[in-house]
Amino acid sequence: MKHICFFGDGVTQGLGDRHHMGWPERLAMLERTMRASAQGACALDDGPALVPYNLSVPWDTSADIALRWQAEASARLQDHTQAGVVFNFGHGDMVDIDDDGVQVPLWDAAAYAESVICEASLLWPVLWIGPTPVAASGGFYQSGQRTYHLTCGRVQAINDAYGDIACRKGIPYLNLLALLDADPAWQQAMRSGAGLFPSAAGHQAVADIIHQWQPWRRWMDQGMGGGVALRLRDLPPHTLLTPKMVAAGY
């Protein structure tokens, strides 16, 4: 049995999904269905093939996740031999709340992300899922008296930065922008969710892509590294800019 922690913001948490599942739980259901098909109905009696822990918080930034992920993952994974961590964030950093500007500047968001990913990869196997596209016209979300606005350009910028970091560090990175941005079905799912959070169909589309992604399939089909008993420690300082950020003048 595999135990996996999912850290992210509102998309990973499942906002927009009328069934209140989100793509992590839908991904787990795909694995259960595949296992039952391969081994027969009796496989369901052996317990789930995958235990997902969705530890996502809407509008969490990379800085927020950096403060909490290690303690939360340790509490759930350290006693398991088949364990891993999946990250999917970025919207929380780049969103503009009430026209006050982005929550975390791009260069700081990249530095926080690099710290999180590098620390996590020393402790467990790690997969990094890039941010999902917003609607072509941008995404708006109203919650109480607050207005959230996210543009395609800001999502593209942070996706490029994350891709550079993942390439340099050798971390598997799934570029969802490249796979979903031009997909009419995805754009329809985004319109159903005001351009920021996909409908249930959009969450299912993300789950379907990850389900077939080669690094994920290696986890599911060939096994994962074991969990470890870890000592909490301060995150190391990181100020490195990615090449694309330098070229853009950051």
Side-chain angles (χ1 to χ4, degrees):
M1 186 184 301
K2 299 172 176 66
H3 294 253
I4 300 176
C5 288
F6 295 84
F7 288 94
D9 47 33
V11 174
T12 317
Q13 199 263 347
L15 293 185
D17 186 345
R18 62 187 177 89
H19 300 294
H20 308 291
M21 295 171 62
W23 66 258
E25 180 57 37
R26 291 175 179 277
L27 181 59
M29 288 183 64
L30 288 173
E31 295 303 331
R32 294 172 195 141
T33 300
M34 174 179 279
R35 183 185 182 210
S37 297
Q39 301 181 17
C42 62
L44 298 176
D45 298 330
D46 298 331
L50 168 61
V51 178
Y53 304 96
N54 194 336
L55 304 171
S56 304
V57 177
W59 311 117
D60 247 16
T61 67
S62 55
D64 297 323
I65 293 170
L67 290 174
R68 68 181 179 85
W69 80 267
Q70 202 173 95
E72 294 181 14
S74 176
R76 293 161 176 83
L77 302 183
Q78 63 180 346
D79 294 328
H80 299 291
T81 59
Q82 292 287 310
V85 184
V86 176
F87 293 100
N88 171 226
F89 49 78
H91 283 186
D93 293 81
M94 295 290 99
V95 73
D96 181 337
I97 304 176
D98 297 332
D99 294 324
D100 288 334
V102 299
Q103 291 206 85
V104 183
L106 179 59
W107 51 92
D108 292 335
Y112 280 121
E114 184 168 344
S115 293
V116 168
I117 297 300
C118 289
E119 282 286 301
S121 65
L122 296 175
L123 301 170
W124 292 285
V126 169
L127 296 179
W128 196 355
I129 311 298
T132 54
V134 297
S137 59
F140 291 88
Y141 185 78
Q142 189 78 34
S143 179
Q145 300 299 314
R146 311 205 75 177
T147 300
Y148 301 81
H149 178 220
L150 188 60
T151 66
C152 296
R154 291 202 296 267
V155 177
Q156 183 66 63
I158 203 165
N159 181 70
D160 289 345
Y162 288 171
D164 284 339
I165 295 168
C167 182
R168 286 190 286 105
K169 299 299 181 181
I171 303 296
Y173 184 78
L174 180 58
N175 186 347
L176 286 178
L177 285 190
L179 296 171
L180 290 172
D181 203 21
D183 185 346
W186 173 261
Q187 292 298 334
Q188 177 58 45
M190 293 306 296
R191 285 191 291 272
S192 301
L196 268 178
F197 302 114
S199 64
H203 285 279
Q204 187 63 52
V206 173
D208 290 341
I209 290 172
I210 298 173
H211 178 65
Q212 300 175 50
W213 185 36
Q214 187 175 10
W216 174 265
R217 290 265 44 92
R218 283 197 295 267
W219 273 20
M220 295 297 102
D221 301 336
Q222 301 175 24
M224 306 156 63
V228 295
L230 59 93
R231 175 176 59 85
L232 297 182
R233 54 189 181 275
D234 293 334
L235 293 173
H238 285 269
T239 58
L240 184 64
L241 301 181
T242 69
K244 287 185 179 178
M245 292 163 68
V246 171
Y250 292 105

